[in-house]
Short mmCIF file of all heavy atoms in Angstrom, two decimals:
data_model
loop_
_atom_site.label_atom_id
_atom_site.label_comp_id
_atom_site.label_asym_id
_atom_site.label_seq_id
_atom_site.Cartn_x
_atom_site.Cartn_y
_atom_site.Cartn_z
N GLU A 1 3.64 -26.35 -66.53
CA GLU A 1 2.33 -25.72 -66.69
C GLU A 1 1.78 -26.00 -68.08
O GLU A 1 2.50 -25.95 -69.07
CB GLU A 1 2.45 -24.21 -66.46
CG GLU A 1 1.15 -23.45 -66.57
CD GLU A 1 0.10 -23.89 -65.56
OE1 GLU A 1 0.36 -23.77 -64.35
OE2 GLU A 1 -0.95 -24.40 -66.02
N ARG A 2 0.49 -26.30 -68.16
CA ARG A 2 -0.12 -26.62 -69.45
C ARG A 2 -1.07 -25.54 -69.95
O ARG A 2 -1.42 -25.52 -71.13
CB ARG A 2 -0.86 -27.96 -69.35
CG ARG A 2 0.09 -29.14 -69.19
CD ARG A 2 0.96 -29.31 -70.42
NE ARG A 2 1.99 -30.31 -70.24
CZ ARG A 2 3.25 -30.05 -69.93
NH1 ARG A 2 3.64 -28.78 -69.74
NH2 ARG A 2 4.14 -31.01 -69.81
N LYS A 3 -1.52 -24.66 -69.09
CA LYS A 3 -2.40 -23.58 -69.51
C LYS A 3 -1.56 -22.42 -70.03
O LYS A 3 -0.72 -21.90 -69.30
CB LYS A 3 -3.28 -23.13 -68.34
CG LYS A 3 -4.24 -24.20 -67.84
CD LYS A 3 -5.06 -23.69 -66.66
CE LYS A 3 -6.02 -24.77 -66.16
NZ LYS A 3 -6.80 -24.29 -64.99
N PRO A 4 -1.75 -22.03 -71.30
CA PRO A 4 -0.88 -21.01 -71.90
C PRO A 4 -0.76 -19.72 -71.09
O PRO A 4 0.36 -19.22 -70.90
CB PRO A 4 -1.54 -20.75 -73.27
CG PRO A 4 -2.25 -22.02 -73.58
CD PRO A 4 -2.74 -22.54 -72.27
N ASP A 5 -1.88 -19.18 -70.60
CA ASP A 5 -1.81 -17.92 -69.85
C ASP A 5 -0.99 -18.08 -68.58
O ASP A 5 -0.17 -17.21 -68.24
CB ASP A 5 -3.22 -17.42 -69.51
CG ASP A 5 -3.97 -16.91 -70.73
OD1 ASP A 5 -3.29 -16.65 -71.75
OD2 ASP A 5 -5.20 -16.78 -70.67
N GLN A 6 -1.20 -19.17 -67.87
CA GLN A 6 -0.45 -19.41 -66.64
C GLN A 6 1.02 -19.68 -66.94
O GLN A 6 1.91 -19.27 -66.20
CB GLN A 6 -1.05 -20.60 -65.87
CG GLN A 6 -2.39 -20.29 -65.21
CD GLN A 6 -2.27 -19.17 -64.19
OE1 GLN A 6 -1.39 -19.19 -63.33
NE2 GLN A 6 -3.15 -18.18 -64.29
N MET A 7 1.27 -20.38 -68.06
CA MET A 7 2.66 -20.64 -68.45
C MET A 7 3.39 -19.33 -68.71
O MET A 7 4.54 -19.15 -68.28
CB MET A 7 2.71 -21.53 -69.70
CG MET A 7 4.14 -21.80 -70.18
SD MET A 7 4.21 -22.80 -71.68
CE MET A 7 3.83 -24.41 -70.99
N MET A 8 2.73 -18.39 -69.39
CA MET A 8 3.37 -17.11 -69.68
C MET A 8 3.64 -16.33 -68.40
O MET A 8 4.69 -15.71 -68.25
CB MET A 8 2.51 -16.29 -70.64
CG MET A 8 3.21 -15.03 -71.13
SD MET A 8 2.40 -14.26 -72.55
CE MET A 8 0.92 -13.62 -71.75
N ILE A 9 2.69 -16.36 -67.47
CA ILE A 9 2.88 -15.66 -66.20
C ILE A 9 4.07 -16.25 -65.44
O ILE A 9 4.92 -15.52 -64.92
CB ILE A 9 1.59 -15.75 -65.34
CG1 ILE A 9 0.49 -14.91 -65.98
CG2 ILE A 9 1.86 -15.29 -63.91
CD1 ILE A 9 -0.88 -15.10 -65.33
N LYS A 10 4.15 -17.58 -65.39
CA LYS A 10 5.24 -18.22 -64.66
C LYS A 10 6.58 -18.03 -65.37
O LYS A 10 7.62 -17.87 -64.72
CB LYS A 10 4.94 -19.71 -64.49
CG LYS A 10 3.80 -19.97 -63.51
CD LYS A 10 3.54 -21.46 -63.32
CE LYS A 10 2.41 -21.70 -62.32
NZ LYS A 10 2.13 -23.13 -62.12
N ALA A 11 6.56 -18.03 -66.69
CA ALA A 11 7.81 -17.79 -67.44
C ALA A 11 8.31 -16.37 -67.21
O ALA A 11 9.51 -16.14 -67.02
CB ALA A 11 7.59 -18.04 -68.92
N THR A 12 7.38 -15.40 -67.22
CA THR A 12 7.75 -14.01 -66.97
C THR A 12 8.30 -13.85 -65.55
O THR A 12 9.31 -13.17 -65.34
CB THR A 12 6.52 -13.09 -67.15
OG1 THR A 12 5.99 -13.28 -68.47
CG2 THR A 12 6.91 -11.64 -66.96
N GLY A 13 7.66 -14.51 -64.58
CA GLY A 13 8.14 -14.46 -63.21
C GLY A 13 9.50 -15.10 -63.05
O GLY A 13 10.36 -14.59 -62.32
N PHE A 14 9.72 -16.20 -63.76
CA PHE A 14 11.02 -16.88 -63.72
C PHE A 14 12.12 -15.96 -64.21
O PHE A 14 13.18 -15.84 -63.58
CB PHE A 14 10.95 -18.16 -64.56
CG PHE A 14 12.30 -18.77 -64.84
CD1 PHE A 14 12.99 -19.45 -63.84
CD2 PHE A 14 12.88 -18.66 -66.10
CE1 PHE A 14 14.24 -20.01 -64.10
CE2 PHE A 14 14.12 -19.22 -66.36
CZ PHE A 14 14.81 -19.90 -65.36
N LEU A 15 11.91 -15.30 -65.36
CA LEU A 15 12.93 -14.41 -65.91
C LEU A 15 13.19 -13.20 -65.02
O LEU A 15 14.32 -12.72 -64.91
CB LEU A 15 12.53 -13.95 -67.31
CG LEU A 15 12.51 -15.02 -68.40
CD1 LEU A 15 11.99 -14.43 -69.71
CD2 LEU A 15 13.90 -15.61 -68.61
N LYS A 16 12.14 -12.72 -64.38
CA LYS A 16 12.29 -11.56 -63.50
C LYS A 16 13.05 -11.92 -62.24
O LYS A 16 13.94 -11.18 -61.79
CB LYS A 16 10.92 -11.00 -63.14
CG LYS A 16 10.98 -9.73 -62.29
CD LYS A 16 9.57 -9.20 -62.01
CE LYS A 16 9.63 -7.93 -61.16
NZ LYS A 16 8.26 -7.40 -60.87
N GLU A 17 12.72 -13.08 -61.67
CA GLU A 17 13.34 -13.48 -60.41
C GLU A 17 14.73 -14.07 -60.61
O GLU A 17 15.62 -13.92 -59.75
CB GLU A 17 12.45 -14.51 -59.70
CG GLU A 17 12.88 -14.81 -58.28
CD GLU A 17 11.87 -15.67 -57.55
OE1 GLU A 17 10.87 -16.08 -58.17
OE2 GLU A 17 12.09 -15.93 -56.35
N PHE A 18 14.93 -14.72 -61.76
CA PHE A 18 16.22 -15.37 -62.03
C PHE A 18 16.73 -14.97 -63.41
O PHE A 18 16.59 -15.73 -64.38
CB PHE A 18 16.08 -16.89 -61.95
CG PHE A 18 15.64 -17.39 -60.61
CD1 PHE A 18 14.31 -17.73 -60.39
CD2 PHE A 18 16.54 -17.51 -59.57
CE1 PHE A 18 13.89 -18.20 -59.16
CE2 PHE A 18 16.12 -17.98 -58.32
CZ PHE A 18 14.80 -18.32 -58.12
N PRO A 19 17.28 -13.76 -63.55
CA PRO A 19 17.84 -13.35 -64.84
C PRO A 19 18.90 -14.35 -65.30
O PRO A 19 19.54 -15.02 -64.49
CB PRO A 19 18.46 -11.98 -64.53
CG PRO A 19 17.75 -11.50 -63.31
CD PRO A 19 17.43 -12.73 -62.51
N GLN A 20 19.07 -14.42 -66.60
CA GLN A 20 19.99 -15.41 -67.17
C GLN A 20 21.38 -15.25 -66.59
O GLN A 20 21.93 -14.16 -66.53
CB GLN A 20 20.03 -15.31 -68.69
CG GLN A 20 20.80 -16.45 -69.34
CD GLN A 20 20.42 -16.62 -70.80
OE1 GLN A 20 19.59 -15.92 -71.32
NE2 GLN A 20 21.04 -17.57 -71.46
N THR A 21 21.96 -16.37 -66.14
CA THR A 21 23.28 -16.36 -65.52
C THR A 21 24.32 -16.91 -66.49
O THR A 21 24.01 -17.31 -67.61
CB THR A 21 23.29 -17.23 -64.25
OG1 THR A 21 23.15 -18.60 -64.65
CG2 THR A 21 22.15 -16.85 -63.33
N THR A 22 25.54 -16.94 -66.01
CA THR A 22 26.62 -17.51 -66.82
C THR A 22 26.92 -18.95 -66.41
O THR A 22 27.90 -19.53 -66.88
CB THR A 22 27.90 -16.65 -66.68
OG1 THR A 22 28.26 -16.59 -65.28
CG2 THR A 22 27.69 -15.25 -67.20
N ASP A 23 26.10 -19.52 -65.52
CA ASP A 23 26.33 -20.89 -65.07
C ASP A 23 25.78 -21.88 -66.10
O ASP A 23 24.84 -22.63 -65.84
CB ASP A 23 25.69 -21.12 -63.71
CG ASP A 23 26.16 -22.42 -63.04
OD1 ASP A 23 26.98 -23.12 -63.67
OD2 ASP A 23 25.72 -22.71 -61.93
N ALA A 24 26.38 -21.84 -67.29
CA ALA A 24 25.87 -22.66 -68.39
C ALA A 24 26.03 -24.15 -68.11
O ALA A 24 25.20 -24.96 -68.53
CB ALA A 24 26.60 -22.30 -69.68
N GLU A 25 27.08 -24.53 -67.38
CA GLU A 25 27.32 -25.94 -67.10
C GLU A 25 26.18 -26.53 -66.28
O GLU A 25 25.69 -27.63 -66.58
CB GLU A 25 28.65 -26.10 -66.36
CG GLU A 25 29.08 -27.55 -66.19
CD GLU A 25 30.49 -27.68 -65.65
OE1 GLU A 25 31.27 -26.72 -65.79
OE2 GLU A 25 30.80 -28.74 -65.09
N PHE A 26 25.72 -25.80 -65.26
CA PHE A 26 24.59 -26.26 -64.45
C PHE A 26 23.34 -26.37 -65.31
O PHE A 26 22.59 -27.35 -65.22
CB PHE A 26 24.34 -25.30 -63.28
CG PHE A 26 23.13 -25.63 -62.46
CD1 PHE A 26 23.21 -26.53 -61.41
CD2 PHE A 26 21.89 -25.05 -62.75
CE1 PHE A 26 22.09 -26.85 -60.66
CE2 PHE A 26 20.76 -25.36 -62.00
CZ PHE A 26 20.87 -26.27 -60.95
N ASP A 27 23.11 -25.36 -66.15
CA ASP A 27 21.91 -25.36 -66.99
C ASP A 27 21.90 -26.55 -67.94
O ASP A 27 20.88 -27.21 -68.13
CB ASP A 27 21.82 -24.06 -67.78
CG ASP A 27 21.56 -22.86 -66.88
OD1 ASP A 27 21.29 -23.06 -65.68
OD2 ASP A 27 21.65 -21.72 -67.37
N ILE A 28 23.05 -26.84 -68.54
CA ILE A 28 23.14 -27.96 -69.48
C ILE A 28 22.90 -29.28 -68.75
O ILE A 28 22.15 -30.15 -69.22
CB ILE A 28 24.50 -27.95 -70.19
CG1 ILE A 28 24.62 -26.74 -71.12
CG2 ILE A 28 24.70 -29.24 -70.99
CD1 ILE A 28 26.00 -26.53 -71.69
N GLN A 29 23.52 -29.45 -67.57
CA GLN A 29 23.38 -30.69 -66.81
C GLN A 29 21.94 -30.94 -66.38
O GLN A 29 21.50 -32.08 -66.27
CB GLN A 29 24.29 -30.65 -65.58
CG GLN A 29 25.76 -30.77 -65.89
CD GLN A 29 26.62 -30.61 -64.65
OE1 GLN A 29 26.15 -30.22 -63.58
NE2 GLN A 29 27.91 -30.90 -64.78
N ASN A 30 21.19 -29.85 -66.14
CA ASN A 30 19.84 -29.98 -65.61
C ASN A 30 18.75 -29.66 -66.64
O ASN A 30 17.58 -29.49 -66.28
CB ASN A 30 19.67 -29.08 -64.39
CG ASN A 30 20.48 -29.54 -63.21
OD1 ASN A 30 20.06 -30.42 -62.47
ND2 ASN A 30 21.66 -28.97 -63.03
N ASN A 31 19.14 -29.60 -67.93
CA ASN A 31 18.18 -29.31 -69.00
C ASN A 31 17.39 -28.04 -68.73
O ASN A 31 16.17 -27.99 -68.98
CB ASN A 31 17.23 -30.49 -69.20
CG ASN A 31 17.94 -31.74 -69.67
OD1 ASN A 31 18.78 -31.68 -70.56
ND2 ASN A 31 17.63 -32.87 -69.07
N LEU A 32 18.05 -27.05 -68.18
CA LEU A 32 17.42 -25.76 -67.91
C LEU A 32 17.73 -24.83 -69.07
O LEU A 32 18.89 -24.49 -69.30
CB LEU A 32 17.95 -25.19 -66.59
CG LEU A 32 17.21 -23.99 -65.98
CD1 LEU A 32 17.55 -23.86 -64.50
CD2 LEU A 32 17.54 -22.68 -66.69
N SER A 33 16.70 -24.44 -69.79
CA SER A 33 16.90 -23.65 -71.00
C SER A 33 16.13 -22.33 -70.93
O SER A 33 14.90 -22.32 -70.92
CB SER A 33 16.45 -24.44 -72.24
OG SER A 33 16.44 -23.62 -73.38
N TYR A 34 16.87 -21.23 -70.88
CA TYR A 34 16.21 -19.92 -70.91
C TYR A 34 15.49 -19.71 -72.25
O TYR A 34 14.55 -18.94 -72.33
CB TYR A 34 17.24 -18.81 -70.67
CG TYR A 34 17.50 -18.58 -69.20
CD1 TYR A 34 18.39 -19.40 -68.50
CD2 TYR A 34 16.86 -17.58 -68.49
CE1 TYR A 34 18.63 -19.22 -67.15
CE2 TYR A 34 17.08 -17.38 -67.14
CZ TYR A 34 17.97 -18.21 -66.47
OH TYR A 34 18.19 -18.02 -65.12
N THR A 35 15.96 -20.42 -73.25
CA THR A 35 15.29 -20.37 -74.55
C THR A 35 13.80 -20.68 -74.41
O THR A 35 12.95 -20.00 -75.00
CB THR A 35 15.94 -21.38 -75.52
OG1 THR A 35 17.26 -20.97 -75.80
CG2 THR A 35 15.16 -21.46 -76.82
N ASN A 36 13.48 -21.70 -73.62
CA ASN A 36 12.08 -22.09 -73.45
C ASN A 36 11.25 -20.99 -72.79
O ASN A 36 10.07 -20.80 -73.11
CB ASN A 36 11.99 -23.38 -72.63
CG ASN A 36 12.51 -24.58 -73.38
OD1 ASN A 36 12.51 -24.59 -74.60
ND2 ASN A 36 12.98 -25.58 -72.65
N ALA A 37 11.86 -20.27 -71.85
CA ALA A 37 11.14 -19.18 -71.18
C ALA A 37 10.85 -18.04 -72.15
O ALA A 37 9.73 -17.53 -72.22
CB ALA A 37 11.95 -18.67 -69.99
N TYR A 38 11.86 -17.63 -72.90
CA TYR A 38 11.67 -16.55 -73.87
C TYR A 38 10.62 -16.95 -74.91
O TYR A 38 9.73 -16.17 -75.27
CB TYR A 38 12.98 -16.24 -74.59
CG TYR A 38 14.05 -15.66 -73.69
CD1 TYR A 38 15.33 -16.21 -73.66
CD2 TYR A 38 13.79 -14.56 -72.88
CE1 TYR A 38 16.32 -15.68 -72.85
CE2 TYR A 38 14.78 -14.03 -72.07
CZ TYR A 38 16.05 -14.59 -72.06
OH TYR A 38 17.02 -14.06 -71.26
N GLN A 39 10.73 -18.19 -75.39
CA GLN A 39 9.81 -18.64 -76.43
C GLN A 39 8.38 -18.72 -75.91
O GLN A 39 7.44 -18.37 -76.63
CB GLN A 39 10.24 -20.02 -76.95
CG GLN A 39 11.48 -19.96 -77.82
CD GLN A 39 11.85 -21.32 -78.39
OE1 GLN A 39 12.65 -21.39 -79.31
NE2 GLN A 39 11.30 -22.38 -77.88
N ALA A 40 8.20 -19.17 -74.69
CA ALA A 40 6.85 -19.27 -74.13
C ALA A 40 6.17 -17.91 -74.14
O ALA A 40 5.02 -17.77 -74.57
CB ALA A 40 6.90 -19.83 -72.71
N ILE A 41 6.89 -16.88 -73.68
CA ILE A 41 6.31 -15.54 -73.61
C ILE A 41 6.02 -15.00 -75.01
O ILE A 41 4.93 -14.50 -75.30
CB ILE A 41 7.26 -14.59 -72.86
CG1 ILE A 41 7.42 -15.05 -71.41
CG2 ILE A 41 6.72 -13.15 -72.89
CD1 ILE A 41 8.55 -14.37 -70.67
N ILE A 42 7.00 -15.12 -75.89
CA ILE A 42 6.87 -14.54 -77.23
C ILE A 42 5.80 -15.25 -78.05
O ILE A 42 4.94 -14.61 -78.67
CB ILE A 42 8.23 -14.57 -77.96
CG1 ILE A 42 9.21 -13.61 -77.26
CG2 ILE A 42 8.07 -14.20 -79.43
CD1 ILE A 42 10.63 -13.72 -77.76
N LEU A 43 5.81 -16.57 -78.02
CA LEU A 43 4.88 -17.32 -78.87
C LEU A 43 3.45 -17.25 -78.35
O LEU A 43 2.50 -17.15 -79.14
CB LEU A 43 5.33 -18.78 -78.99
CG LEU A 43 6.68 -18.99 -79.68
CD1 LEU A 43 7.07 -20.46 -79.67
CD2 LEU A 43 6.66 -18.45 -81.10
N ILE A 44 3.28 -17.31 -77.04
CA ILE A 44 1.92 -17.21 -76.49
C ILE A 44 1.35 -15.82 -76.74
O ILE A 44 0.17 -15.67 -77.07
CB ILE A 44 1.92 -17.57 -74.98
CG1 ILE A 44 2.26 -19.05 -74.80
CG2 ILE A 44 0.56 -17.26 -74.37
CD1 ILE A 44 2.51 -19.46 -73.36
N SER A 45 2.18 -14.79 -76.60
CA SER A 45 1.73 -13.43 -76.90
C SER A 45 1.35 -13.30 -78.37
O SER A 45 0.34 -12.67 -78.71
CB SER A 45 2.82 -12.42 -76.55
OG SER A 45 3.10 -12.43 -75.17
#
């Protein structure tokens, strides 16, 4: 997503629907970073 407001909405929805798990190996292999979700919400706000 490139629109900041929509990005924040989708990031918030992602965290709500998929709370951070312990499957770090999958996340690393697939470049899935919860850091980016937290940062999107905090920085856009």
Side-chain angles (χ1 to χ4, degrees):
E1 181 61 62
R2 291 295 173 261
K3 296 179 180 179
D5 289 343
Q6 288 299 311
M7 179 182 284
M8 188 166 71
I9 291 171
K10 290 181 179 180
T12 303
F14 167 74
L15 292 176
K16 183 178 180 180
E17 190 172 3
F18 299 100
Q20 189 159 358
T21 69
T22 57
D23 193 359
E25 188 171 338
F26 175 87
D27 293 351
I28 292 171
Q29 288 175 350
N30 291 277
N31 296 315
L32 192 161
S33 171
Y34 276 82
T35 294
N36 291 335
Y38 294 129
Q39 288 183 165
I41 297 168
I42 292 171
L43 296 177
I44 293 171
S45 296

